[in-house]
């Protein structure tokens, strides 16, 4: 009776080569023209090397005409030999010439063919390359950020990480089921995982159990709750930030394990309401939330010279003080005096002062 081999069902239990297509590592893009030129140059170098070898050892070859080998004959022999045509009108006659054909010209012939069919071989070796990169990444990735959902909210979160937080692209993993969204993430140099983040094995493949932070930004609130529950179970110490559309679902996210919850609909609604009467205030808020230019809200540790003083008297525009993980507004009594180990939330100038265009 033949026993059928059973393959692991869970993605996280599969070997790295079976995750090619699920995990996609960023690739260095090369223009098609440059790739073709590199292959042509490689083929010409192989041809030139063969011509020189044959011409230097021309006395060891027999020509059908019996008049010896010229440089043109050597070029002709190299061409028909590397292309595996082999008419037989020129052939190695001495033992040394035959040995050189076996040890040198045959490998050059293989190299020449590899260059010519490089596109096909590139497709065949892509899985091996990806499997090696996936194996290397999975063994080394630590303290990264997992972003669930690469829609409008997920992309904005990634832009903030890349811009304001100076996070390296390969330390951000995007999990989504939309192939176009994953293609957009890959173009930014991000690592992507194709699958539903509501499944624990998909999050394991993304390395959520070793992640520093998890950004939950799907399009549905119920999905956000389930993803948060799953992520918290796998990563008890990770900082989970979730986004919901409706404020009534905030308590569900916090009960599911989210450290912070952002209500996207209420935030947008407030800005819309403010824009009707005080549009310049909205422009300033957008400027503060845009890390690439203008002003940005940032966090920094206090300096020894600032300890004991008031944050309201500093040169920076301080908005709040963080002490033992608790945020106090700058006008709170706890923020009257700066203590060692405190952190400051302040307005940081990203670029020179400019007029905000409406």
């Amino acid at each position: 009776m033949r026993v059928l081999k059973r393959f692991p069902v869970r993605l996280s239990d599969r070997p790295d080569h079976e995750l090619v297509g699920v995990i996609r590592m960023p690739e260095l893009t090369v223009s098609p023209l440059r790739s073709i030129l590199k292959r042509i140059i490689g083929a010409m170098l192989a041809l030139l090397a063969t011509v020189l070898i044959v011409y230097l050892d021309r006395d060891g070859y027999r020509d059908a005409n019996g008049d010896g080998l010229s440089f043109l004959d050597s070029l002709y022999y190299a061409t028909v030999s590397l292309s595996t045509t082999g008419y037989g009108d020129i052939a190695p006659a001495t033992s040394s010439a035959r040995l050189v054909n076996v040890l040198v010209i045959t490998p050059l012939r293989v190299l020449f063919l590899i260059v010519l069919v490089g596109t096909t071989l590139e497709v065949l070796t892509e899985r091996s390359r990806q499997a090696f990169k996936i194996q290397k990444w999975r063994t080394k990735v630590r303290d990264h950020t997992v972003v669930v959902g690469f829609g409008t909210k997920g992309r904005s979160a990634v832009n903030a990480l890349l811009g304001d937080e100076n996070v390296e692209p390969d330390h951000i993993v995007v999990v989504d089921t939309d192939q176009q969204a994953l293609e957009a993430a890959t173009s930014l140099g991000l690592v992507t995982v194709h699958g539903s983040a509501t499944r624990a094995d998909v999050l394991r493949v993304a390395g959520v159990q070793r992640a520093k932070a998890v950004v939950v930004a799907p399009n549905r609130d119920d999905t956000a709750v389930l993803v948060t529950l799953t992520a918290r179970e796998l990563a008890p110490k990770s900082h989970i930030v979730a986004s919901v559309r409706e404020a009534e679902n905030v308590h569900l996210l916090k009960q599911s394990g989210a450290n912070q919850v952002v209500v996207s609909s209420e935030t947008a609604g407030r800005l819309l309401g403010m824009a009707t009467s005080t549009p310049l205030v909205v422009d300033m808020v957008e400027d503060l939330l845009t890390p690439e230019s203008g002003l940005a809200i940032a966090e920094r540790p206090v300096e020894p010279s600032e300890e004991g003083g008031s944050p309201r008297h500093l040169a920076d525009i301080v908005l709040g003080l963080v002490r033992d993980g608790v945020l106090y507004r700058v006008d709170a009594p706890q923020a009257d005096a700066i203590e060692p180990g405190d952190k400051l939330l302040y307005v940081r100038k990203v670029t020179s002062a400019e007029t905000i265009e409406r």
Side-chain angles (χ1 to χ4, degrees), residues 293-346:
S293 61
L295 302 174
I297 300 176
E299 180 183 281
R300 69 171 178 85
V302 298
E303 299 177 0
S305 60
E306 298 171 340
E307 295 175 2
S310 173
R312 293 186 290 273
H313 298 158
L314 298 179
D316 293 327
I317 302 175
V318 179
L319 303 177
L321 183 146
V322 180
R323 179 178 298 151
D324 297 329
V326 180
L327 173 63
Y328 300 100
R329 287 191 332 192
V330 71
D331 59 347
Q334 294 86 345
D336 286 341
I338 299 175
E339 297 180 2
D342 289 347
K343 295 182 180 180
L344 300 177
L345 292 181
Y346 72 106

Side-chain angles (χ1 to χ4, degrees), residues 7 20 36 41 51 71 104 109 167 172 195 219-220 235 238 244 251 259 261 281 294 296 299 306 318 322 329 342:
F7 291 92
V20 177
I36 294 173
I41 292 174
V51 172
F71 185 81
V104 181
R109 181 184 298 116
V167 178
I172 300 176
N219 295 324
R220 294 167 54 98
S238 296
V244 292
H251 73 285
N259 298 97
V261 180
V281 175
E299 180 183 281
E306 298 171 340
V318 179
V322 180
R329 287 191 332 192
D342 289 347

